[in-house]
Amino acid sequence: MFPWLFGVGLVVLNLVTSARSQKTEPLSGSGDQPLFRGADRHDFAIMIPPGDTECFWQFAQETGYFYFSYEVQRTLGMSHDRHVAATAYTPQGFLIENIQNVRGQINFFTQETGFYQLCLKNQQNHFGSVQVYLNFGVFYEGPEMDDKQTERKQLNDTLDAIEVSTRKVQNNIFHMWRYYNFARMRKMADFFLLQSNYNYVNWWSTAQSLVIVLSGILQLYFLKRLFNVPMTTDTKKPRC
């Protein structure tokens, strides 16, 4: 009985391990079909603990445009240093760029197909967490012109003009979306800064008000003791 259960457990463990070790990649399809060229876009906020590092992997194909931008929105804890280190690596593990600032951008053209690694390190704050807003992805301008020269010769000028205009509109919309994300980053950072200043002013005003009230009570108490005259009786009289 026990050997049978042990064998079943090994089979289940192997299945789980093989399922976890699979890497998800876009399928190339069958025949001469090219890889799907989509524009993967991601924008979200994460919290990085003190001295910790968060990494992400983004799949990109060759001849794509990779963009990555971030901004530290707020800090939590004893330390208030908003600087974080951002690095980008190629699928082979080579360093592309390394920046260390409150906000930054890393933009480059992809030279190879694979998973590009992005890392953020909160190395300046040893006693405080930081909230970072991320915006990264890959954008493809479109299919290569050389591969479709023969097909373009069969199209008329009207369809060609429509295709070019549509591609220009798509590119303009994409860049407008990026600028909108930049503005949203700054807006959230300013909102958290105003909220922090508002809380600081409220707490500091409350503390000062309590100190003023307490000092007034203590002054009144000591002044009252100065004018406190002891009662005199026949047996208890003040000494000369």
Side-chain angles (χ1 to χ4, degrees), residues 162-174:
I162 293 175
E163 184 180 1
V164 173
S165 301
T166 304
R167 185 176 295 111
K168 288 182 179 180
V169 172
Q170 182 182 4
N171 293 339
N172 293 333
I173 292 175
F174 167 73

Side-chain angles (χ1 to χ4, degrees), residues 38-43 58-60 64-69 106-108 110 118 135-140 174 177:
D40 297 331
R41 306 171 185 177
H42 308 278
D43 56 303
Q58 173 65 43
F59 183 83
Y65 182 75
F66 198 105
Y67 63 93
F68 169 61
S69 58
I106 299 178
N107 303 320
F108 56 91
T110 56
L118 305 172
N135 177 26
F136 63 92
V138 186
F139 181 75
Y140 303 98
F174 167 73
W177 178 80

